Amino acid sequence: MRSPAGAASFSHLVLWAVLAVARTCLAAPVTADLHRHQLDNGMEILVKEDHRAPVVASMVWYRAGSMDEVNGSTGVAHVLEHMMFRGTGSLAPGQFSRTIARAGGRDNASTGHDYTAYFQQLHRSQLPLALRLEADRMANLVFTEAEFAREVRVVMEERRLRTEDQPRSLLYESFLATAYQAHPYRTPIIGWMQDLENMTLADARTWYQTWYAPNNAALVVVGDVQAADVFAEAQRWFGGIARRALPERKAQSEAPQRGIRRAVLSAPAELPYLLMGWHVPALRDLGRDWEPYALWVLAAALGGSDASRLARDLVRQQRLALSADASYDPVKRGPALFVVSATPAKGHSAEALEAAVRAQIEAVAEHGITAEELERTRVQAVAAQVYRQDSVLGQARQIGMLHNAGLPPDGSALQVRRLQEVTAEQVQAVARKYFADDNLTVGTLRPQPLAAAARAGEIDATLREHR
């Protein structure tokens, strides 16, 4: 195989070979067979047939996450996620997951800023079971003081173990609360500890009664199924659940930043840690937007792999950092951040590393990226899309994420095509436009001496038995 530029190096040959394979795999749109249906109660049903194996992934997505919470009740979306496994009028606490396991499947759930999602992955013949169980807890969840108190304790312990005992997690929490001063993305998904301590059973019940309605939910099914059969089963189990009036969702945005912001955290740690974030646009129109795709490519060029600029220059060449990465998630209901995270090497400060990151972005703004960098990011984007198709659950997550963000759920192939159309000039343009200090928030971890007796690293048994 020969690259258009005539490059003969092995690395270039591999690059073009991977790209050719990935493009071949995506020759047909991977979500062209997405089938949509809406029940009379407003519930959306999205089905993608994938007949490669006799398995199915079923997900119910509620468009309600931590961004929909109000002050004083942060964390309630996540607490309710826990409560959804604690029984209905016909199921004892924990019986949901035991029933799925006996059927040879697995299940779990996750809460995000924008959503709460529940999934089961099992044999295709067991899909009616999964839908019956999900419909049951959508309509018939039981709330008891004992189960609520138990789950709140579990969430509080989860917060202690995963946030309060983890300096980097604490810094990230402070970083978001500084970068977002108006938008609810500023609050942690797991909630503030004081709100968890004061949460009541009525808070959880109100959240359930407010948001867990069929007209605020989408069922996504991917696997060895026939769409018509799934629609019939969805009607059978969910069709009888009455729709409810949903609260008006008022527009929430973040005012333009007018100066650099800093969050500094002092905590026991071995090394400093650095976070840098810039406000950038999220993806709102898959076909017309171009800046989010250019930012996507910029994130990959800076930190998408071991060959990226931050890893090459700051880690291997200058040895300023032990690690450095860039991330950008354009698929969300709210505003987006472009984030660089990095750990200084021993003997180097977070301030020196911050200056080095700025220099890297300034170089892109001044000189752009190379043709090889641009092509590598295209390879990564296409390959990532191909890899997602290996898993029915991965496909279901992708469809659900797009739909929850108000984007076409069958738009993943379009995303890839638009990424492949990004030019070096566009990448340079967004680097110039958005990466000014007035738009920057910096989070810095200042390490303090480690405690003589650190908390045990094992997760409490109550967390392990949650599912």
Side-chain angles (χ1 to χ4, degrees):
M1 182 178 294
R2 179 175 174 273
S3 73
S9 71
F10 178 75
S11 61
H12 280 87
L13 291 174
V14 170
L15 182 70
W16 285 97
V18 171
L19 181 61
V21 171
R23 282 174 172 162
T24 299
C25 292
L26 286 179
V30 294
T31 52
D33 56 350
L34 184 68
H35 304 272
R36 303 186 65 171
H37 177 66
Q38 187 178 65
L39 304 182
D40 290 342
N41 59 15
M43 188 170 184
E44 295 278 351
I45 315 298
L46 308 170
V47 182
K48 180 177 183 297
E49 299 180 12
D50 185 333
H51 302 289
R52 293 176 295 177
V55 296
V56 64
S58 173
M59 297 192 74
V60 171
W61 292 74
Y62 293 95
R63 188 170 288 177
S66 64
M67 72 172 287
D68 301 293
E69 297 167 347
V70 297
N71 288 340
S73 296
T74 64
V76 67
H78 183 61
V79 170
L80 198 279
E81 177 213 312
H82 282 236
M83 290 295 294
M84 287 284 279
F85 292 86
R86 304 317 299 168
T88 67
S90 59
L91 286 178
Q95 190 176 349
F96 185 107
S97 294
R98 291 194 295 271
T99 302
I100 294 295
R102 282 198 298 270
R106 64 188 184 99
D107 75 305
N108 214 318
S110 62
T111 304
H113 281 119
D114 301 339
Y115 66 89
T116 311
Y118 302 84
F119 81 84
Q120 299 84 43
Q121 187 170 356
L122 25 63
H123 189 270
R124 63 187 178 192
S125 64
Q126 299 300 318
L127 178 62
L129 170 67
L131 300 189
R132 174 174 66 82
L133 293 175
E134 282 289 8
D136 182 34
R137 65 181 176 181
M138 177 186 283
N140 304 309
L141 193 64
V142 170
F143 291 84
T144 68
E145 288 287 357
E147 291 299 331
F148 171 76
R150 176 189 184 279
E151 293 308 317
V152 168
R153 287 195 301 271
V154 169
V155 174
M156 290 169 65
E157 183 64 13
E158 186 178 341
R159 176 177 170 82
R160 279 189 285 266
L161 288 167
R162 298 178 182 175
T163 301
E164 297 187 357
D165 286 354
Q166 304 295 328
R168 292 187 180 186
S169 297
L170 273 180
L171 176 65
Y172 188 70
E173 189 174 82
S174 180
F175 168 76
L176 287 183
T178 304
Y180 294 111
Q181 298 198 339
H183 195 275
Y185 279 177
R186 71 187 314 274
T187 62
I189 294 169
I190 201 167
W192 299 113
M193 183 63 84
Q194 183 177 13
D195 289 348
L196 295 173
E197 291 171 342
N198 293 306
M199 192 171 294
T200 67
L201 179 65
D203 292 327
R205 184 187 291 114
T206 298
W207 183 264
Y208 175 74
Q209 293 172 343
T210 300
W211 297 114
Y212 277 52
N215 47 312
N216 194 46
L219 170 66
V220 180
V221 175
V222 178
D224 192 17
V225 295
Q226 298 294 326
D229 295 338
V230 177
F231 295 154
E233 289 293 330
Q235 175 62 40
R236 177 186 179 189
W237 299 111
F238 292 97
I241 303 175
R243 67 185 300 143
R244 293 200 297 271
L246 299 172
E248 178 186 359
R249 296 185 194 263
K250 296 184 178 180
Q252 299 184 88
S253 60
E254 185 72 18
Q257 190 168 322
R258 298 183 181 276
I260 191 169
R261 299 171 184 168
R262 291 189 180 273
V264 179
L265 176 73
S266 297
E270 292 185 4
L271 293 169
Y273 186 60
L274 176 69
L275 290 168
M276 301 175 70
W278 295 263
H279 294 281
V280 293
L283 190 55
R284 298 291 181 242
D285 188 312
L286 292 182
R288 295 182 180 179
D289 289 348
W290 67 267
E291 288 186 333
Y293 296 108
L295 289 161
W296 210 332
V297 170
L298 176 60
L302 288 174
S305 69
D306 288 340
S308 64
R309 291 193 175 204
L310 297 180
R312 180 194 67 199
D313 295 348
L314 304 190
V315 177
R316 293 195 299 276
Q317 293 182 5
Q318 300 179 39
R319 298 187 178 180
L320 283 172
L322 294 178
S323 63
D325 199 6
S327 62
Y328 165 63
D329 179 9
V331 179
K332 54 205 319 111
R333 286 167 53 199
L337 274 182
F338 187 106
V339 178
V340 171
S341 58
T343 302
K346 192 171 183 178
H348 295 280
S349 67
E351 290 75 18
L353 189 53
E354 177 186 333
V357 171
R358 291 170 186 267
Q360 290 290 322
I361 295 176
E362 288 169 1
V364 176
E366 184 174 352
H367 305 294
I369 63 174
T370 67
E372 182 178 349
E373 285 177 304
L374 182 62
E375 194 62 22
R376 184 176 66 246
T377 59
R378 289 171 174 167
V379 171
Q380 292 169 350
V382 176
Q385 176 68 6
V386 172
Y387 296 150
R388 289 191 188 101
Q389 309 314 308
D390 288 341
S391 162
V392 291
L393 184 58
Q395 294 176 64
R397 288 187 189 279
Q398 189 174 33
I399 292 167
M401 282 288 189
L402 287 168
H403 180 267
N404 186 77
L407 297 168
D410 58 350
S412 58
L414 176 58
Q415 283 180 294
V416 171
R417 288 197 294 272
R418 296 290 284 117
L419 279 168
Q420 291 175 305
E421 294 168 358
V422 172
T423 66
E425 290 75 19
Q426 289 175 326
V427 176
Q428 185 177 15
V430 294
R432 287 175 172 173
K433 182 175 180 179
Y434 292 106
F435 291 83
D437 276 2
D438 281 352
N439 193 36
L440 170 63
T441 298
V442 180
T444 306
L445 171 62
R446 290 180 176 171
Q448 303 299 306
L450 294 171
R455 284 175 59 92
E458 297 180 359
I459 295 178
D460 187 89
T462 54
L463 284 176
R464 292 197 297 269
E465 69 178 39
H466 167 49
R467 298 295 185 259

